[in-house]
Amino acid sequence: MSQKALAKGSTLPPLEKGKLRLYSMRFCPYAQRTRLVLEHKNIPYETVNVNLKEKPDWFLEKNPLGLVPIVEHDDKIVYESAVCDDYLDELFKTNPLTPADVYRKARERILADGFHKVTTPFYKVLRSKGQDKELLEEFYKALDRYEKDLTEPFFGGNNLSMLDYHLWPWFERLGIMARITGQALPKDRFPCLSAWMDRMYEQPAVRKTVFSDDMHGAFLSSFATGTPDYDVGLDANL
């Protein structure tokens, strides 16, 4: 199936019975969360990418909110990244990501639910093009909490957990922030997170879903013009 984003007026590709389908957008960090879970758990699936600027009618019928990711499996449809990921982790038992320990599970939920305090200043820094140093410090202060909580190789302990994958997409995009601000994540302030990032880059699921800084930059540049190029980097003939 083509990776190109389908827009308004397109035809919904037929879904083979028993096949799991992910409705996604290649550069959406929330959809990347679900791709990471699918790859980690080795779940066979197909992807339909969607143009989120000119959304197909059939896409809005599946999720009236008009957001990705959406997981469709036969006649079952779920959406919202955390819901999709929990659904997949419970449905497919291999390589579980949800902690068995109820306290660790609760702590991870607290960190996951509070991560908007990181993503909000992240996007503010990008929009300011790095000119507002107070915004950058606001971003770093929000990260301090996660640096403090990361006392083991992964947020899940010695093994990856759902939280590691839920946080990762924004850390993958720190390279773009560094280009804009001229300042990489300070390793002296964030030694644990910096080492964690190195470990995450070695994970097979991350390697299968990662985009280079150049690709992220090209998409963000097109997004800033008001006409996002959802197919950036794809062969025009595909």
Side-chain angles (χ1 to χ4, degrees):
M1 184 176 294
S2 174
Q3 292 189 53
K4 288 190 174 180
L6 300 181
K8 191 174 182 64
S10 63
T11 301
L12 173 65
L15 177 60
E16 180 184 338
K17 184 175 176 58
K19 191 85 170 183
L20 190 146
R21 173 179 286 177
L22 173 68
Y23 295 90
S24 182
M25 190 277 277
R26 293 167 62 229
F27 298 98
C28 174
Y30 296 96
Q32 186 180 1
R33 285 175 163 180
T34 302
R35 293 202 307 275
L36 285 162
V37 171
L38 287 163
E39 295 294 347
H40 175 87
K41 297 179 72 68
N42 296 312
I43 302 170
Y45 70 102
E46 66 180 19
T47 302
V48 173
N49 286 311
V50 178
N51 184 317
L52 298 180
K53 185 82 170 179
E54 301 176 8
K55 300 168 184 174
D57 292 339
W58 49 259
F59 173 69
L60 294 171
E61 290 175 3
K62 296 183 183 297
N63 181 0
L65 299 176
L67 302 172
V68 293
I70 303 172
V71 169
E72 183 173 14
H73 193 205
D74 292 333
D75 59 343
K76 302 177 182 68
I77 294 176
V78 294
Y79 45 84
E80 298 291 333
S81 63
V83 176
C84 289
D85 298 347
D86 286 343
Y87 172 78
L88 292 169
D89 202 36
E90 292 180 20
L91 185 63
F92 298 90
K93 303 301 184 183
T94 57
N95 301 330
L97 287 165
T98 303
D101 180 83
V102 293
Y103 178 68
R104 184 183 285 274
K105 181 179 179 180
R107 290 293 304 174
E108 289 197 7
R109 179 64 182 270
I110 291 169
L111 291 172
D113 288 352
F115 197 61
H116 66 279
K117 293 183 179 180
V118 173
T119 60
T120 298
F122 173 87
Y123 290 114
K124 286 182 179 179
V125 171
L126 294 185
R127 285 194 293 270
S128 75
K129 297 183 179 179
Q131 299 303 307
D132 191 332
K133 300 306 179 184
E134 290 185 2
L135 285 177
L136 185 60
E137 180 57 25
E138 179 186 347
F139 173 69
Y140 286 159
K141 283 184 177 179
L143 278 184
D144 283 337
R145 176 186 184 187
Y146 294 84
E147 172 70 20
K148 181 179 179 181
D149 269 86
L150 186 58
T151 59
E152 298 175 278
F154 299 99
F155 284 96
N158 289 322
N159 299 306
L160 285 156
S161 73
M162 190 71 77
L163 181 61
D164 292 285
Y165 285 139
H166 276 194
L167 305 187
W168 174 252
W170 287 271
F171 284 89
E172 180 180 308
R173 289 155 176 78
L174 286 184
I176 292 300
M177 179 181 284
R179 288 188 180 186
I180 292 173
T181 64
Q183 181 175 329
L185 188 72
K187 289 188 176 182
D188 56 344
R189 181 168 176 173
F190 301 105
C192 296
L193 283 173
S194 296
W196 172 79
M197 288 179 64
D198 290 340
R199 287 189 287 271
M200 287 296 290
Y201 270 117
E202 295 301 315
Q203 303 309 307
V206 170
R207 290 185 171 187
K208 290 178 180 178
T209 62
V210 70
F211 279 118
S212 68
D213 291 345
D214 287 341
M215 287 285 281
H216 281 303
F219 174 74
L220 286 174
S221 294
S222 71
F223 186 85
T225 68
T227 55
D229 183 0
Y230 297 108
D231 299 329
V232 64
L234 295 178
D235 189 328
N237 296 318
L238 294 178

